[in-house]
Amino acid sequence: MFLPDDVKRIINLLEKASYKAYAVGGCVRDSLMGREVNDYDITTSALPEQVEKVLTGDSIKYIETGLKHGTVTAVINHIPYEITTFRCDGEYKDNRRPESVCFVSDIKEDLSRRDFTVNAIAYNEKEGFVDLFGGRDDIYNKIIRTVGDADKRFNEDALRIMRALRFASQLGFTIEEQTEKAIFRNKELLRNIAVERIFKELQKTIMGENCDEVIGKYIDVIRVVIPEISANQISELPKKDYIRFAVLLNGSDKKDEVLNFLKVSNEFEKNVKMIADYYDCEINNDRLQLKKLLGVMGETLLFDLLELKNNEEAAQIVREIIENNEPYKISDLAINGYDLMELGFRGKEISQALEYLLNEVISNPAKNEKEILIKIAENSILRKNPRLNGFNYSSNGAYFITICTKDKKNILSNICADIAKNVGCDAPDAPLLKLTEYGRVVENEIIKMNEIYDFVNAEKYVIMPNHIHLMIVVSNKDLCGASRASHPTKSIVSTYIGTLKRFVNKQTGLNIWQKSFYDHIIRDEQDYINHLQYIDENPAKWLLGKDEYYS
């Protein structure tokens, strides 16, 4: 086995002081397998204070990283080397760490407490390999086997269950039969382990060469901690943990809850949710669509998504967009919020106007001149609130109302399972629309309310990323019943929305509805087109030509 000069130096110094010392664990295993060794651990019969004395005698710097467990870390040429005294473990009460450790002088006692045979091999140049549990044979036969009784090993430290899966995936090994049975018998012990530690092992597992086989075979073990995870094939996907984890969560309606529960980093959470949300999105080679995706996802994640979808042609278009400096995000605009404030825009009007102008520029990059954008903003309907306060709300017409989410995480984006593909789709006429748990609640309640209120009929609703457009057709015809017809239209609409809000909040256990922030009677087709420009860049795509919706 090859040992770096610095490792030899430490071992020789300890041996000259009459102590035993060996390289041990993963460095020995990986060296036997011909794998790259990233770090070297050393085990010794010397006590921590004796190790420190030996290092000091040769002017080697050290850090007292774990004296309680017998560990001193030597630092040579800025590289750390952990040196740990031979030890045996005391009683385990929490399925994770021993209550105490005791230092011993025999390497056999130290190796016998370790997790798997492949990790229980020691080596130095004088004695060669110290392999008391058949670790080299198991490496040769590609087997993961516990040292001694498997049930005892997993009861001592339940995280070893996830480590077994990780090693099987990373090394391409098979878990030995008795060890496998013990994993399934003891899988519930994982509930006693911090989820952060479990997830770190899972992250390494999904990056292994044997990940599909391991995840498929042991999915019930992983689901003890993450019930929402699937056994989707991931081995052929790009080697990025957030891409693979997003695919494993694909189809789950509870990605937010899962990621919060696992306490992942903000960046990892963002990446997983982006990939998961757009995984089923149909991406063509439309330059406009790709610019919008660039604005939402950013360059790295969009390239990840296109690699995931094996769409090199679209990726080339994205590269051209970037190389040509074509605008695709608000910061690319030749106008900013301060410019809009000078034009009289205030509050949310500014962000709405910037989004509107960005859509204009994405569609036509030549418009990205300050003078042109100022002119568009000055003439924009966004600048004036088009409410028709003087209009008679009791007359026939189409009452347009938008309901937005209160939650900053845009809970309503979960209404559509394939939200990226179906944003802006007319839900009742979109047979390919995949509704999630929330989506079905909303749709069923709209149907129910249609049956109750004959003359307040939600004929159309459009699902957007963080709000819903409802086109409520108001009719005062006799068939609605005299008692109902006598009510003012606006109060009936308010009752409708209020009932819908209360029902959905109760069903989901979440306050996902905020309030209506815009309402408007549509008097004619042009009025409707003007209104849609206030909301979206695609006016009247799903309603043009349907005269029956106008009074």
Side-chain angles (χ1 to χ4, degrees):
M1 175 180 172
F2 168 79
L3 291 177
D5 290 340
D6 292 337
V7 176
K8 290 182 191 177
R9 178 184 172 189
I10 294 170
I11 291 175
N12 290 336
L13 286 170
L14 290 166
E15 288 180 335
K16 284 180 182 178
S18 300
Y19 304 113
K20 295 280 189 180
Y22 308 85
V24 71
C27 63
V28 181
R29 178 200 68 225
D30 289 344
S31 181
L32 286 168
M33 293 182 65
R35 291 164 56 94
E36 181 181 356
V37 179
N38 295 316
D39 58 80
Y40 289 82
D41 293 334
I42 297 167
T43 187
T44 180
S45 60
L47 296 172
E49 58 269 24
Q50 294 169 329
V51 171
E52 291 178 357
K53 185 176 180 181
V54 169
L55 295 175
T56 301
D58 207 54
S59 301
I60 296 175
K61 294 181 180 180
Y62 63 84
I63 304 169
E64 294 180 338
T65 47
L67 293 183
K68 180 181 177 182
H69 296 96
T71 302
V72 175
T73 299
V75 181
I76 305 177
N77 298 320
H78 306 290
I79 299 174
Y81 300 97
E82 285 194 355
I83 307 168
T84 303
T85 305
F86 299 160
R87 75 183 202 205
C88 64
D89 295 334
E91 182 183 4
Y92 287 80
K93 290 185 178 180
D94 61 357
N95 305 119
R96 181 66 187 101
R97 294 192 180 280
E99 293 294 301
S100 61
V101 299
C102 59
F103 302 132
V104 296
S105 58
D106 188 350
I107 183 66
K108 180 177 181 179
E109 288 188 71
D110 184 84
L111 295 178
S112 66
R113 70 175 177 81
R114 294 178 181 262
D115 52 8
F116 306 109
T117 60
V118 297
N119 297 329
I121 309 170
Y123 175 86
N124 66 27
E125 290 183 327
K126 282 187 178 180
E127 298 179 44
F129 293 100
V130 180
D131 180 13
L132 306 175
F133 303 99
R136 283 179 294 176
D137 287 341
D138 284 345
I139 289 173
Y140 178 79
N141 293 309
K142 297 188 174 182
I143 290 173
I144 298 296
R145 183 198 315 267
T146 57
V147 174
D149 180 77
D151 288 308
K152 181 180 179 182
R153 292 283 88 88
F154 294 139
N155 272 272
E156 288 172 344
D157 182 358
L159 188 61
R160 288 169 174 165
I161 293 173
M162 293 301 299
R163 283 169 60 82
L165 305 191
R166 188 244 292 186
F167 287 130
S169 176
Q170 284 184 326
L171 305 178
F173 284 16
T174 300
I175 298 176
E176 177 265 338
E177 182 180 0
Q178 296 306 314
T179 303
E180 177 183 308
K181 289 179 179 178
I183 285 174
F184 282 103
R185 280 196 301 269
N186 295 283
K187 67 181 188 295
E188 295 296 327
L189 294 175
L190 288 172
R191 300 184 189 278
N192 300 331
I193 305 300
V195 291
E196 303 97 308
R197 291 185 176 275
I198 291 174
F199 184 63
K200 283 182 180 179
E201 295 295 332
L202 181 59
Q203 275 183 292
K204 296 174 183 176
T205 300
I206 65 179
M207 298 297 286
E209 62 181 75
N210 203 29
C211 58
D212 285 343
E213 182 177 338
V214 170
I215 292 171
K217 191 170 186 179
Y218 297 94
I219 189 68
D220 288 342
V221 176
I222 302 171
R223 282 176 176 163
V224 169
V225 181
I226 314 174
E228 300 82 1
I229 204 165
S230 68
N232 295 334
Q233 299 288 296
I234 59 172
S235 61
E236 299 300 319
L237 300 180
K239 273 202 138 184
K240 293 187 177 181
D241 54 4
Y242 57 83
I243 292 179
R244 294 188 169 191
F245 194 65
V247 173
L248 291 178
L249 286 183
N250 190 46
S252 169
D253 295 341
K254 299 182 179 179
K255 288 185 284 292
D256 286 2
E257 293 92 326
V258 171
L259 294 166
N260 288 335
F261 171 71
L262 296 175
K263 301 179 182 178
V264 301
S265 68
N266 291 339
E267 182 179 7
F268 187 85
E269 178 180 7
K270 180 199 75 172
N271 292 347
V272 168
K273 287 164 68 173
M274 278 286 189
I275 295 295
D277 286 346
Y278 289 94
Y279 180 68
D280 291 326
C281 173
E282 182 179 345
I283 297 180
N284 51 42
N285 299 326
D286 178 72
R287 208 175 190 87
L288 183 60
Q289 182 200 31
L290 292 171
K291 283 184 183 181
K292 290 185 177 181
L293 286 172
L294 261 174
V296 173
M297 302 184 72
E299 295 177 13
T300 300
L301 285 178
L302 181 54
F303 280 123
D304 285 340
L305 181 67
L306 296 177
E307 182 182 1
L308 187 59
K309 291 177 169 291
N310 196 28
N311 193 335
E312 175 56 31
E313 191 172 347
Q316 181 56 37
I317 295 173
V318 173
R319 282 190 282 270
E320 291 174 5
I321 292 170
I322 296 170
E323 290 169 4
N324 296 338
N325 293 319
E326 296 178 36
Y328 62 84
K329 55 184 183 294
I330 286 177
S331 60
D332 293 334
L333 291 174
I335 195 172
N336 58 40
Y338 293 108
D339 298 318
L340 292 174
M341 288 176 66
E342 291 181 5
L343 297 177
F345 286 83
R346 294 293 181 269
K348 289 184 179 180
E349 291 176 346
I350 296 174
S351 59
Q352 290 171 346
L354 289 172
E355 287 288 346
Y356 178 81
L357 294 172
L358 177 61
N359 284 324
E360 289 282 323
V361 167
I362 285 176
S363 302
N364 187 348
K367 291 183 178 181
N368 197 24
E369 299 287 343
K370 187 171 182 177
E371 294 77 10
I372 295 174
L373 295 180
I374 286 177
K375 188 171 183 180
I376 293 173
E378 284 177 333
N379 297 325
S380 172
I381 193 170
L382 289 166
R383 197 171 174 220
K384 302 171 184 176
N385 193 331
R387 292 175 184 269
L388 302 176
N389 293 323
F391 191 80
N392 182 2
Y393 275 80
S394 64
S395 65
N396 294 338
Y399 188 93
F400 194 91
I401 190 165
T402 303
I403 299 176
C404 66
T405 72
K406 184 176 184 180
D407 194 291
K408 290 182 180 179
K409 292 189 176 180
N410 293 339
I411 297 176
L412 285 184
S413 66
N414 293 326
I415 283 182
C416 236
D418 48 358
I419 188 72
K421 182 164 68 175
N422 290 292
V423 162
C425 285
D426 174 11
D429 296 336
L432 298 180
L433 194 70
K434 297 177 182 177
L435 296 176
T436 63
E437 175 186 344
Y438 292 145
R440 287 189 293 273
V441 169
V442 172
E443 183 176 55
N444 291 339
E445 183 59 11
I446 285 176
I447 292 172
K448 184 187 298 184
M449 295 298 291
N450 284 346
E451 295 172 352
I452 296 173
Y453 292 101
D454 293 331
F455 79 113
V456 182
N457 191 26
E459 292 282 350
K460 299 283 177 181
Y461 64 99
V462 183
I463 296 172
M464 301 299 281
N466 63 348
H467 56 279
I468 286 183
H469 299 322
L470 291 178
M471 172 60 72
I472 300 177
V473 177
V474 176
S475 172
N476 287 337
K477 294 179 180 178
D478 294 337
L479 58 88
C480 300
S483 59
R484 288 182 180 174
S486 63
H487 289 278
T489 302
K490 189 170 183 179
S491 66
I492 295 296
V493 172
S494 299
T495 301
Y496 176 97
I497 297 303
T499 304
L500 180 61
K501 286 164 60 177
R502 287 190 293 274
F503 178 83
V504 174
N505 289 343
K506 181 179 179 181
Q507 292 296 311
T508 62
L510 297 165
N511 184 22
I512 70 172
W513 301 101
Q514 187 178 19
K515 63 179 180 178
S516 62
F517 68 85
Y518 186 80
D519 52 73
H520 180 41
I521 291 291
I522 308 299
R523 293 180 296 184
D524 54 37
E525 183 170 297
Q526 186 57 49
D527 192 15
Y528 177 69
I529 293 173
N530 290 341
H531 173 77
L532 260 286
Q533 287 177 336
Y534 180 87
I535 300 295
D536 197 280
E537 67 163 313
N538 295 312
K541 266 191 175 179
W542 50 269
L543 200 56
L544 277 177
K546 299 191 178 181
D547 296 329
E548 64 269 29
Y549 293 105
Y550 305 106
S551 57

